[in-house]
Amino acid sequence: MQTLKMALKSIGSNKLRAFLTMLGIIIGVMALVILVSLVNGATGSVTDTISSLGKNMITVSISDNKGAPVQISDLSEWMQDPSLGGVAAYTKESFTGKKDGNAETVDVYGVTSYYEQIQGMSMLLGRFLRSTDIDNHTYVCVINEKLATELIGYTDCLGQEITLGGIRYTVVGVVEDNDTSLTKSYNNDSLSAYIPYTSLVRMSDSATLEITSFYVDAAEDKTTKDAEERITQILLDRFEDDEDAFTVKSQDTLENTMNDVSSALTILLGGIAAISLIVGGIGIMNIMLVTVTERTREIGIRKAIGANRHVILQQFLLEAVVLCMMGCGIGIGLSWAVLQVIGIVVSSLSITFTLNGTVVLIAVGFCFLIGIVFGLYPANKAAKMKPIDALHYGG
Amino acid sequence: MPYRRKTVRHLFIREKHPAPLPRRESEKVDRKTIIKTDKLSKSFSVSGKQYHIIKNLDLEIYEGDFTVIMGSSGAGKSTLLYALSGMDKPSLGHIEYAGKEITEMNDDQLAVFRRKHCGFVFQQVHLVDSMSIMDNAISTGMLIGQKQKDLKKKAAALFERVGISEEMTDKFPAQVSGGEAQRAAMVRAVINDPDVVFADEPTGALNSAGVEAVLNVLTDINNEGQSIVMVTHDIKSARRANRILYLEDGGIKGECNPGKYVSGDKKRHEMIRGFLEEMGW
Ligand SMILES: Nc1ncnc2c1ncn2[C@@H]1O[C@H](COP(=O)(O)OP(=O)(O)OP(=O)(O)O)[C@@H](O)[C@H]1O
Ligand SMILES: [Mg+2]
């Protein structure tokens, strides 16, 4: 306590110098806090937009079923799992689609009913495939807008019949081709038809009821990561703990990429700011060395009357740390003000720039560390002085 | 350990000064040793040249004594005081404090030793410029973890005794006179009730009233049992001692034991004057 008072007094005795010394730290802290807060604010609002577009999807591929193939019934069971939102099997093949003499090559997806939700599809007309369609392998299909216009000629085509690979299918729904959906993996440019998984198996030479790939998403109150862990666990149990039997990939790449970019940017900017903080620390060290030299006589007196190394070390170390922390405090305060101003300037963008709590804590911790690291050498130099030599220093 | 306790010698027989042996004893010396040196030497090397300031000095300081060290300027009085108080390490030889070797102590142990047992008044006063007179005075007490409030009370009483007014104690060293600073340094030296007070010309900058005040404080605490080792150039100050050592050429040339200070004792004064004359002072 007494030492703290002494440190403050000593800093206060030369305010301009203290301020100039702190400037490096202030600028470093401001750079760190403002930049990281800006990046977080910006990416935060972008990822919010992204996640409002659709839920994160996990893709599972099975390469070795170990004699326990995944079947439609397994999917229904997993649908009930509290961590998982839903499961949708899919397989894709190309067939020739025909209607009244028109012929197009169509990407035919054999899917289960949850496919609609997991892909975030929106129906233009009619309905998507239902569980009963899958169970009864009915010959109904859902087509995309583009296929409807290319093959049938118009989108209002519910009830029409088309042939896919020579088999007649009744159109029960038309899927909207949404150009703005960034996150959706279904392709707007292709001609697509969705039919019950079981029906595709019947038409196909290669597809079987043994499901090799499917999508999973997370339950409402769970994160994608939770779901990913859960499905991995389920499959590990099933496939004798063989991690190589399957792959689980979180497919919501845009959000992931966004997050990756954001963290890369944060680390980059944080790194730059950290460097300027270190430069600030060198400034602190420099001034502390000057201070120690200036106060050699004082150190000599204090040692002569019985202050040991520890006392002197503590005194100068504390002074360096206090300098750093004061700089840090001022820097954080100014950062807050600057962010406030930026917030007003860009208020039209609906992006909120708030002081990021984590980065403030990091800044405080880092400044403390810098105070210790760069204060240690000067403080130690002071503590090591021999009392008589210090007393006689400079006459 | 090469160091071996020797039989107590009350006389200082130096090869350098074989005869006559100055001997002034008015009371039987049978006292407890508090500091004892054994072949203490201190030399400085300045631009490659060695200066031997203290040479093979064997000396004992007794508990409860008011010891005065005199000698010409540059004789090494301050140097000896620094060594005796563990502030500076001797070049050779040993120093024992209350039977404990302090020469072997490391810097931190010495610092603790100083703050526990010693008080100092420096020849050059040496107050910390950034602290007020009061804060300077209590700084030794703060080091041994005493309460600031108690210390301030104690310091205030001491300031009064040496004739420094209360408002003066809020000033900084640069704002007070040399004599005032010296008296503040005096308060700092004695505030912890140290076992030994080392005072290096504590009256150098004072007028006669100030000298009296400081000497009275030293005499008082000496009467309370604390030991005093004082360097002085002033015969009036020297009279306070019950033992006077004369330092010359790195050794004790002679000593005088006039007994306890009695104010106005003509015979005693004459004895001291005679001793100093004999020493060539
Ligand atoms: N650090 C040092 N380096 C070199 N020489 C020194 C050092 N300290 C003291 N001396 C020398 O040692 C001698 C004794 O110095 P000291 O200060 O002990 O004298 P003193 O007896 O106290 O004199 P005074 O009565 O003037 O105070 C002097 O000649 C001085 O030049
Ligand atoms: Mg001297």
Side-chain angles (χ1 to χ4, degrees):
Chain A
M1 203 56 230
Q2 187 65 21
T3 328
L4 186 66
K5 251 190 233 162
M6 271 174 64
L8 286 174
K9 207 162 156 188
S10 150
I11 292 167
S13 69
N14 202 332
K15 291 194 185 65
L16 180 65
R17 184 162 96 185
F19 175 73
L20 290 176
T21 310
M22 279 188 274
L23 209 54
I25 297 288
I26 294 174
I27 292 171
V29 166
M30 281 178 71
L32 180 70
V33 173
I34 294 179
L35 292 179
V36 172
S37 292
L38 282 184
V39 168
N40 277 3
T43 52
S45 67
V46 172
T47 35
D48 280 355
T49 320
I50 290 171
S51 47
S52 71
L53 291 172
K55 269 202 145 172
N56 298 351
M57 186 168 68
I58 299 160
T59 312
V60 181
S61 315
I62 294 159
S63 49
D64 177 5
N65 65 30
K66 311 236 172 211
V70 175
Q71 308 210 332
I72 303 274
S73 55
D74 293 314
L75 299 192
S76 319
E77 191 187 315
W78 295 340
M79 292 284 283
Q80 311 304 319
D81 192 287
S83 293
L84 306 179
V87 189
Y90 73 95
T91 179
K92 180 184 147 185
E93 283 190 28
S94 285
F95 289 105
T96 310
K98 285 183 183 163
K99 170 73 183 171
D100 302 338
N102 287 344
E104 299 282 352
T105 303
V106 180
D107 289 334
V108 178
Y109 294 83
V111 299
T112 55
S113 59
Y114 195 69
Y115 191 83
E116 177 198 8
Q117 254 173 286
I118 212 163
Q119 289 283 14
M121 290 172 158
S122 46
M123 301 302 295
L124 187 68
L125 290 165
R127 62 168 175 91
F128 198 73
L129 306 170
R130 291 178 182 146
S131 318
T132 47
D133 297 325
I134 285 95
D135 293 344
N136 302 324
H137 38 79
T138 52
Y139 294 112
V140 293
C141 69
V142 171
I143 59 175
N144 70 343
E145 264 183 82
K146 197 164 179 180
L147 181 59
T149 41
E150 303 262 313
L151 194 64
I152 302 170
Y154 47 92
T155 49
D156 186 11
C157 58
L158 294 185
Q160 298 277 348
E161 290 199 332
I162 59 171
T163 58
L164 293 168
I167 294 174
R168 285 165 173 282
Y169 279 85
T170 308
V171 177
V172 294
V174 179
V175 177
E176 202 175 300
D177 289 340
N178 188 348
D179 293 331
T180 63
S181 59
L182 298 165
T183 51
K184 285 156 203 174
S185 60
Y186 66 89
N187 195 336
N188 294 319
D189 288 335
S190 66
L191 304 170
S192 312
Y194 305 90
I195 63 172
Y197 188 86
T198 45
S199 307
L200 185 75
V201 169
R202 294 198 164 186
M203 293 163 64
S204 165
D205 301 329
S206 53
T208 68
L209 282 171
E210 300 179 359
I211 296 167
T212 52
S213 41
F214 58 92
Y215 294 129
V216 185
D217 68 3
E220 282 297 329
D221 54 339
K222 292 287 194 299
T223 64
T224 306
K225 200 150 183 286
D226 294 336
E228 205 175 324
E229 278 165 11
R230 179 68 193 129
I231 191 69
T232 305
Q233 193 51 53
I234 291 173
L235 293 175
L236 280 176
D237 291 347
R238 186 179 191 107
F239 298 135
E240 306 158 5
D241 283 332
D242 183 356
E243 288 174 11
D244 298 328
F246 61 92
T247 56
V248 173
K249 261 195 323 205
S250 181
Q251 231 210 355
D252 197 357
T253 42
L254 191 62
E255 190 172 337
N256 285 343
T257 312
M258 195 65 214
N259 282 336
D260 287 350
V261 168
S262 158
S263 14
L265 218 57
T266 306
I267 288 169
L268 182 76
L269 294 175
I272 292 170
I275 288 170
S276 69
L277 272 178
I278 287 170
V279 173
I282 293 171
I284 299 255
M285 175 149 121
N286 188 28
I287 218 70
M288 286 311 296
L289 282 172
V290 172
T291 304
V292 166
T293 310
E294 278 176 352
R295 284 160 62 186
T296 299
R297 208 176 68 95
E298 175 191 330
I299 296 164
I301 296 170
R302 289 176 57 79
K303 291 204 92 169
I305 61 173
N308 54 6
R309 287 178 55 113
H310 176 78
V311 173
I312 304 290
L313 189 81
Q314 184 182 305
Q315 180 189 346
F316 284 91
L317 201 53
L318 194 75
E319 198 170 316
V321 170
V322 166
L323 260 179
C324 272
M325 294 321 278
M326 279 169 83
C328 185
I330 296 174
I332 289 171
L334 287 177
S335 304
W336 177 82
V338 168
L339 285 173
Q340 218 66 5
V341 171
I342 292 178
I344 292 166
V345 171
V346 300
S347 55
S348 55
L349 285 181
S350 80
I351 301 175
T352 47
F353 293 118
T354 47
L355 212 57
N356 182 300
T358 319
V359 80
V360 167
L361 282 183
I362 288 174
V364 169
F366 202 67
C367 283
F368 187 78
L369 209 69
I370 280 180
I372 299 272
V373 169
F374 290 101
L376 207 55
Y377 176 73
N380 193 46
K381 198 177 159 197
K384 268 197 331 216
M385 284 181 185
K386 297 247 175 283
I388 290 300
D389 298 344
L391 271 180
H392 290 167
Y393 175 85
Chain B
M1 182 156 299
Y3 178 63
R4 187 168 45 82
R5 223 169 210 289
K6 293 211 204 123
T7 49
V8 177
R9 285 193 296 175
H10 304 309
L11 290 177
F12 294 85
I13 305 159
R14 309 241 60 85
E15 282 83 15
K16 288 252 170 184
H17 315 284
L21 285 182
R23 183 179 175 137
R24 295 275 161 16
E25 276 182 286
S26 64
E27 60 183 48
K28 186 83 199 107
V29 181
D30 184 21
R31 292 161 295 184
K32 219 173 127 197
T33 305
I34 187 158
I35 303 172
K36 181 179 158 100
T37 72
D38 176 50
K39 295 206 172 57
L40 177 70
S41 296
K42 181 76 192 176
S43 41
F44 297 103
S45 90
V46 181
S47 36
K49 204 165 167 234
Q50 287 275 322
Y51 293 89
H52 303 282
I53 307 302
I54 308 281
K55 302 171 196 164
N56 278 325
L57 180 68
D58 292 333
L59 171 65
E60 282 171 73
I61 304 289
Y62 304 105
E63 193 171 66
D65 263 17
F66 194 137
T67 309
V68 155
I69 300 173
M70 297 188 79
S72 55
S73 180
K77 304 182 294 295
S78 299
T79 305
L80 176 61
L81 224 51
Y82 291 146
L84 291 181
S85 58
M87 213 180 284
D88 204 4
K89 291 210 166 186
S91 310
L92 280 172
H94 301 267
I95 302 168
E96 261 183 22
Y97 177 87
K100 247 177 70 187
E101 177 88 37
I102 63 165
T103 344
E104 306 292 321
M105 288 183 180
N106 66 28
D107 289 351
D108 271 356
Q109 288 168 323
L110 278 174
V112 173
F113 161 76
R114 287 196 297 273
R115 81 165 84 128
K116 269 183 31 196
H117 300 291
C118 308
F120 307 93
V121 185
F122 299 98
Q123 188 170 7
Q124 297 87 350
V125 184
H126 287 319
L127 296 176
V128 176
D129 296 328
S130 58
M131 299 201 286
S132 70
I133 296 296
M134 176 58 90
D135 285 343
N136 263 293
I138 65 171
S139 58
T140 40
M142 299 296 286
L143 270 176
I144 58 168
Q146 295 202 24
K147 281 216 190 77
Q148 192 169 359
K149 222 178 104 201
D150 301 345
L151 284 169
K152 282 198 169 165
K153 230 163 86 190
K154 198 165 167 191
L158 283 166
F159 275 125
E160 203 187 318
R161 274 171 74 181
V162 295
I164 286 186
S165 61
E166 209 182 313
E167 54 265 36
M168 191 81 76
T169 61
D170 290 333
K171 289 189 178 177
F172 284 82
Q175 300 164 327
V176 302
S177 74
E180 287 157 354
Q182 195 158 48
R183 281 175 285 170
M186 177 74 204
V187 173
R188 176 178 67 185
V190 302
I191 194 156
N192 278 349
D193 298 322
D195 300 330
V196 189
V197 176
F198 295 92
D200 198 348
E201 294 186 41
T203 55
L206 298 174
N207 64 7
S208 59
V211 170
E212 280 304 306
V214 164
L215 289 176
N216 284 342
V217 170
L218 285 174
T219 308
D220 287 352
I221 63 173
N222 178 239
N223 287 337
E224 284 156 22
Q226 289 163 256
S227 312
I228 314 283
V229 181
M230 179 171 83
V231 169
T232 187
H233 282 293
D234 169 31
I235 187 161
K236 214 166 149 238
S237 305
R239 280 185 200 142
R240 299 289 178 134
N242 64 333
R243 184 174 180 223
I244 302 171
L245 302 171
Y246 198 86
L247 193 67
E248 192 181 282
D249 202 12
I252 302 291
K253 188 179 177 190
E255 78 166 275
C256 168
N257 287 287
K260 275 248 177 267
Y261 169 68
V262 188
S263 173
D265 184 340
K266 283 260 168 55
K267 247 181 85 193
R268 196 172 169 280
H269 291 180
E270 280 312 308
M271 178 181 176
I272 293 169
R273 187 193 303 280
F275 166 73
L276 289 175
E277 261 167 26
E278 196 174 333
M279 289 295 118
W281 185 70

mmCIF file of all heavy atoms in Angstrom, chain A residues 9-19 294:
data_model
loop_
_atom_site.group_PDB
_atom_site.id
_atom_site.type_symbol
_atom_site.label_atom_id
_atom_site.label_comp_id
_atom_site.label_asym_id
_atom_site.label_seq_id
_atom_site.Cartn_x
_atom_site.Cartn_y
_atom_site.Cartn_z
ATOM 1 N N LYS A 9 3.272 8.667 -6.460
ATOM 2 C CA LYS A 9 3.891 9.955 -6.209
ATOM 3 C C LYS A 9 5.044 10.185 -7.189
ATOM 4 O O LYS A 9 5.181 11.256 -7.777
ATOM 5 C CB LYS A 9 4.426 9.958 -4.780
ATOM 6 C CG LYS A 9 4.499 11.322 -4.166
ATOM 7 C CD LYS A 9 4.590 11.120 -2.673
ATOM 8 C CE LYS A 9 5.208 12.255 -1.945
ATOM 9 N NZ LYS A 9 5.423 11.894 -0.538
ATOM 10 N N SER A 10 5.830 9.135 -7.335
ATOM 11 C CA SER A 10 6.983 9.262 -8.213
ATOM 12 C C SER A 10 6.540 9.501 -9.657
ATOM 13 O O SER A 10 7.127 10.310 -10.368
ATOM 14 C CB SER A 10 7.829 7.996 -8.105
ATOM 15 O OG SER A 10 8.483 7.748 -9.300
ATOM 16 N N ILE A 11 5.477 8.811 -10.073
ATOM 17 C CA ILE A 11 4.961 9.022 -11.425
ATOM 18 C C ILE A 11 4.396 10.429 -11.545
ATOM 19 O O ILE A 11 4.620 11.141 -12.520
ATOM 20 C CB ILE A 11 3.882 7.973 -11.769
ATOM 21 C CG1 ILE A 11 4.533 6.587 -11.890
ATOM 22 C CG2 ILE A 11 3.157 8.329 -13.060
ATOM 23 C CD1 ILE A 11 3.553 5.448 -11.914
ATOM 24 N N GLY A 12 3.676 10.847 -10.495
ATOM 25 C CA GLY A 12 3.045 12.159 -10.509
ATOM 26 C C GLY A 12 4.053 13.293 -10.495
ATOM 27 O O GLY A 12 3.754 14.407 -10.927
ATOM 28 N N SER A 13 5.260 13.016 -10.019
ATOM 29 C CA SER A 13 6.239 14.092 -9.909
ATOM 30 C C SER A 13 6.739 14.552 -11.269
ATOM 31 O O SER A 13 7.331 15.596 -11.400
ATOM 32 C CB SER A 13 7.414 13.640 -9.041
ATOM 33 O OG SER A 13 8.146 12.654 -9.726
ATOM 34 N N ASN A 14 6.533 13.751 -12.278
ATOM 35 C CA ASN A 14 6.929 14.171 -13.623
ATOM 36 C C ASN A 14 5.843 13.732 -14.599
ATOM 37 O O ASN A 14 5.969 12.736 -15.298
ATOM 38 C CB ASN A 14 8.282 13.552 -13.983
ATOM 39 C CG ASN A 14 8.954 14.349 -15.076
ATOM 40 O OD1 ASN A 14 8.292 14.989 -15.889
ATOM 41 N ND2 ASN A 14 10.266 14.299 -15.109
ATOM 42 N N LYS A 15 4.766 14.501 -14.606
ATOM 43 C CA LYS A 15 3.562 14.053 -15.304
ATOM 44 C C LYS A 15 3.764 13.959 -16.806
ATOM 45 O O LYS A 15 3.324 13.015 -17.446
ATOM 46 C CB LYS A 15 2.405 15.004 -15.005
ATOM 47 C CG LYS A 15 1.955 14.911 -13.570
ATOM 48 C CD LYS A 15 0.606 15.586 -13.366
ATOM 49 C CE LYS A 15 0.220 15.597 -11.901
ATOM 50 N NZ LYS A 15 1.133 16.431 -11.067
ATOM 51 N N LEU A 16 4.449 14.946 -17.369
ATOM 52 C CA LEU A 16 4.622 14.941 -18.819
ATOM 53 C C LEU A 16 5.408 13.704 -19.244
ATOM 54 O O LEU A 16 5.038 13.001 -20.177
ATOM 55 C CB LEU A 16 5.348 16.214 -19.272
ATOM 56 C CG LEU A 16 5.571 16.269 -20.786
ATOM 57 C CD1 LEU A 16 4.242 16.344 -21.528
ATOM 58 C CD2 LEU A 16 6.451 17.454 -21.170
ATOM 59 N N ARG A 17 6.472 13.455 -18.506
ATOM 60 C CA ARG A 17 7.296 12.308 -18.863
ATOM 61 C C ARG A 17 6.495 11.019 -18.711
ATOM 62 O O ARG A 17 6.538 10.142 -19.569
ATOM 63 C CB ARG A 17 8.533 12.258 -17.965
ATOM 64 C CG ARG A 17 9.454 11.139 -18.362
ATOM 65 C CD ARG A 17 10.818 11.367 -17.792
ATOM 66 N NE ARG A 17 10.965 10.626 -16.552
ATOM 67 C CZ ARG A 17 12.038 10.715 -15.782
ATOM 68 N NH1 ARG A 17 13.021 11.522 -16.118
ATOM 69 N NH2 ARG A 17 12.119 10.013 -14.683
ATOM 70 N N ALA A 18 5.739 10.936 -17.615
ATOM 71 C CA ALA A 18 4.934 9.740 -17.393
ATOM 72 C C ALA A 18 3.950 9.549 -18.540
ATOM 73 O O ALA A 18 3.782 8.445 -19.062
ATOM 74 C CB ALA A 18 4.189 9.850 -16.066
ATOM 75 N N PHE A 19 3.346 10.668 -18.956
ATOM 76 C CA PHE A 19 2.362 10.561 -20.035
ATOM 77 C C PHE A 19 3.019 10.109 -21.332
ATOM 78 O O PHE A 19 2.508 9.221 -22.023
ATOM 79 C CB PHE A 19 1.659 11.913 -20.236
ATOM 80 C CG PHE A 19 0.710 11.911 -21.408
ATOM 81 C CD1 PHE A 19 -0.497 11.230 -21.326
ATOM 82 C CD2 PHE A 19 1.046 12.542 -22.594
ATOM 83 C CE1 PHE A 19 -1.354 11.194 -22.408
ATOM 84 C CE2 PHE A 19 0.189 12.511 -23.681
ATOM 85 C CZ PHE A 19 -1.011 11.839 -23.583
ATOM 86 N N GLU A 294 18.529 8.211 -12.098
ATOM 87 C CA GLU A 294 18.262 9.478 -11.420
ATOM 88 C C GLU A 294 18.124 9.305 -9.915
ATOM 89 O O GLU A 294 18.452 10.195 -9.153
ATOM 90 C CB GLU A 294 16.942 10.064 -11.920
ATOM 91 C CG GLU A 294 17.041 10.812 -13.208
ATOM 92 C CD GLU A 294 15.662 11.264 -13.661
ATOM 93 O OE1 GLU A 294 14.645 10.866 -13.044
ATOM 94 O OE2 GLU A 294 15.611 12.002 -14.633
#
